[in-house]
Amino acid sequence: MTSRRTFLLSGLAALAGSSALANAPAVSLRPVARKVSSLAAGADGLKALLERARLSGQAVCAVADVKTGEVLESAGSAQALPPASVAKALTALYALDVLGPDHRFETRILATGGVSGGVVKGDLILAGGGDPVLSTDHLAQLATALKNAGVREVRGKFLVWDNSLPGVATIDPEQPDHLGYSPAVSGIALNFNRVHFEWKPAPGGGWAITMDARTAKYRPEVVNAQMKIASRAGPVYTYAEKAGVDHWTVASKALGKGGSRWLPVRNPAAYAGDVFRTLARANGIKLEKAQQAGSLPQAQLLARHLSPPMDVMLKAMLKYSNNLMAEMIGMSASAARSGRPASLQASASGMSRWAAAEYGLTGTRLVDHSGLGGDSRMTPGDLTRALVAAHKTGRLKPLLKRFPLLDSKGGIVKGHPIKVAAKTGTLNFVSGLGGFLTAANGTELAFAIFTADQKTRGRIPRSQRERPKGARDWNRRAKRLQQQLIERWGAVYGS
């Protein structure tokens, strides 16, 4: 195919040999500016596309050939912006490298002092092993296994050990208290450390409310998370911890005709212990109120539950962008690599150092493993470099979610010639996308796109960060730019 450059040069040569260039005008004519196509090859085409997006803040990107590693084009490739949940792609690589795709987390029921005649002489311990997908169903299975093992009485204490990972009250302290995607983190988690709050109009007036650890099969009510209805219009929720119990209030005028939502748990050990105690009682085993174990003594194994293998969990983490999974998996990888980290931030710093050593990511500085914290930074050049390296191992791409391309009305374009597998990332006035695209001719590219309006984001009060004004429209336009870049790269480098 004749390139645009060849066509222009041959045209000028033909003109030079004719009279068309003779008798040039004495006064230079003013050139007419032409609109550069966003699909034009070269830096001008990319620049034109980014300018036409009219997106406030910054937009940076990079794209590379996965076979050669050659960066085909970029804009601000060394400029670090918040990656949001795109950071989870790096966390997945970290976990695969350190823990491996077959790694499973173990939750155990232990007994001290031995078991004789169905009686636990000492303490019963629910020991968390960092499983981020532990559910009420799994605790029910452990309670049944305890009964089937012949246990009918526990004479000592009931303890919960969650110290395999450092305790974190909330993933991102800048988030409002009631948001379920920023729960507490520790070595044990139940139902992603969320409690289900439901309210219904009561027959005699007022409201019937429940706080439970529900699944499709079980619905045990909890006492370590309590809710009161307050006669007010706002704020919608308030939170306070009292003696290890999560105390919530909700504004009566915000309840409408009924509804439900998942609220974050701030005391994971107490929550898991509360629920297991109820399930054990249903199996005829009476336990004292759970206490937190400071250390894990030598004890007899009575029952255990294993998580799914790591690659299965990572696929789910990336698909649903679950923050708790990212943090627990990331901290577990840090613990396996260099010992139990002192904090979430210390673990994220360790992952950043690993990324620098493994992939040369010198511009990446993360404060967590999920990307929820707005202080994390990553450059598109860094991520693209890691994606190219990961493509050679074949580990990451199968775990990434298919990213559909949309038409002008927002509908999915079925059979689009460009196929994309990527990780999205969204915060208020922050949007990112990183992954792989396969063009119509089979060319595979790795790409990273980060956009952020950090000034506008910085002006949002903490209380309004769930749905700030203007964020939805800004993020919609950022996602439109992402698709335009993908379509550009597919057309320019894959046709």
Side-chain angles (χ1 to χ4, degrees):
M1 181 182 293
T2 303
S3 69
R4 175 182 175 88
R5 178 181 177 85
T6 303
F7 176 78
L8 289 174
L9 290 175
S10 61
L12 287 173
L15 285 173
S18 70
S19 61
L21 293 182
N23 301 317
V27 180
S28 298
L29 298 176
R30 178 175 297 175
V32 178
R34 292 190 305 159
K35 187 176 182 181
V36 179
S37 170
S38 60
L39 296 180
D44 288 345
L46 177 60
K47 181 180 179 182
L49 193 158
L50 295 174
E51 288 178 349
R52 285 173 196 152
R54 298 186 180 277
L55 196 65
S56 63
Q58 299 160 299
V60 296
C61 61
V63 62
D65 187 303
V66 297
K67 290 183 178 179
T68 65
E70 178 189 0
V71 177
L72 301 174
E73 67 180 27
S74 65
S77 65
Q79 187 170 341
L81 291 179
S85 286
V86 179
K88 292 184 176 74
L90 190 63
T91 299
L93 290 173
Y94 187 45
L96 289 170
D97 182 71
V98 177
L99 299 173
D102 300 321
H103 180 84
R104 293 173 183 258
F105 296 104
E106 183 179 48
T107 304
R108 297 172 293 167
I109 302 296
L110 307 170
T112 65
V115 181
S116 177
V119 178
V120 175
K121 301 290 187 179
D123 301 330
L124 191 76
I125 305 170
L126 170 61
D131 184 356
V133 295
L134 187 72
S135 73
T136 296
D137 290 351
H138 302 140
L139 288 190
Q141 293 167 10
L142 285 172
T144 300
L146 193 62
K147 178 183 178 181
N148 292 340
V151 174
R152 55 184 176 81
E153 181 183 351
V154 176
R155 292 187 177 170
K157 300 174 183 176
F158 172 42
L159 303 174
V160 180
W161 185 72
D162 69 343
N163 207 32
S164 63
L165 299 175
V168 180
T170 177
I171 296 173
D172 179 20
E174 298 301 315
Q175 300 294 331
D177 290 327
H178 64 278
L179 297 184
Y181 55 72
S182 186
V185 186
S186 74
I188 197 166
L190 180 64
N191 303 329
F192 304 111
N193 280 341
R194 299 178 308 167
V195 62
H196 190 262
F197 166 47
E198 184 175 26
W199 63 97
K200 298 178 181 178
W207 298 92
I209 61 175
T210 56
M211 298 283 276
D212 59 53
R214 70 176 57 189
T215 62
K217 191 173 182 180
Y218 299 96
R219 193 172 293 188
E221 293 194 11
V222 299
V223 297
N224 80 295
Q226 300 180 9
M227 178 68 71
K228 285 187 177 182
I229 298 174
S231 180
R232 64 172 188 262
V236 177
Y237 292 98
T238 67
Y239 169 79
E241 180 186 349
K242 300 176 183 177
V245 176
D246 293 339
H247 287 268
W248 296 91
T249 72
V250 61
S252 58
K253 294 185 179 179
L255 295 179
K257 296 181 179 180
S260 65
R261 78 172 292 161
W262 289 92
L263 293 170
V265 165
R266 301 298 179 204
N267 296 279
Y271 179 49
D274 185 5
V275 173
F276 185 79
R277 186 182 182 213
T278 298
L279 297 168
R281 186 167 60 246
N283 283 274
I285 305 169
K286 185 178 179 180
L287 301 175
E288 293 184 0
K289 182 179 178 181
Q291 300 179 41
Q292 194 164 355
S295 60
L296 192 62
Q298 290 291 325
Q300 179 182 346
L301 176 66
L302 300 181
R304 67 173 186 162
H305 168 76
L306 293 177
S307 74
M310 179 60 68
D311 57 354
V312 173
M313 288 191 291
L314 291 176
K315 190 175 182 68
M317 178 195 78
L318 294 168
K319 179 179 180 180
Y320 299 107
S321 204
N322 187 279
N323 294 328
L324 180 76
M325 292 182 72
E327 304 305 353
M328 292 185 72
I329 289 172
M331 285 200 290
S332 295
S334 292
R337 182 170 178 262
S338 54
R340 182 182 179 277
S343 65
L344 173 57
Q345 291 78 11
S347 179
S349 294
M351 186 172 81
S352 298
R353 290 191 297 273
W354 165 86
E358 188 74 15
Y359 298 117
L361 274 59
T362 57
T364 295
R365 298 288 184 274
L366 302 176
V367 299
D368 56 35
H369 302 284
S370 64
L372 184 59
D375 290 335
S376 284
R377 294 291 181 270
M378 183 181 288
T379 72
D382 270 1
L383 180 58
T384 303
R385 189 177 302 110
L387 291 171
V388 168
H391 189 271
K392 290 178 171 59
T393 68
R395 282 182 167 183
L396 182 63
K397 186 178 177 182
L399 303 180
L400 293 172
K401 183 179 178 181
R402 176 179 173 268
F403 181 81
L405 298 179
L406 310 179
D407 58 27
S408 59
K409 296 182 179 179
I412 295 176
V413 180
K414 296 182 179 179
H416 197 290
I418 300 175
K419 308 300 180 186
V420 181
K423 182 69 193 82
T424 60
T426 303
L427 297 171
N428 295 323
F429 296 98
V430 172
S431 184
L433 184 68
F436 305 96
L437 74 86
T438 304
N441 69 348
T443 299
E444 286 191 89
L445 307 175
F447 69 90
I449 307 166
F450 297 136
T451 56
D453 185 345
Q454 298 179 86
K455 289 184 179 180
T456 301
R457 175 177 168 80
R459 291 194 293 264
I460 304 171
R462 183 172 182 268
S463 61
Q464 297 178 20
R465 287 179 182 171
E466 185 172 14
R467 296 185 186 90
K469 183 179 179 181
R472 184 175 180 180
D473 180 65
W474 187 95
N475 284 79
R476 179 179 55 80
R477 287 184 285 116
K479 292 182 185 302
R480 184 189 303 140
L481 172 61
Q482 291 165 3
Q483 174 158 329
Q484 290 171 342
L485 285 167
I486 287 170
E487 290 175 332
R488 166 183 167 76
W489 294 329
V492 174
Y493 300 108
S495 61

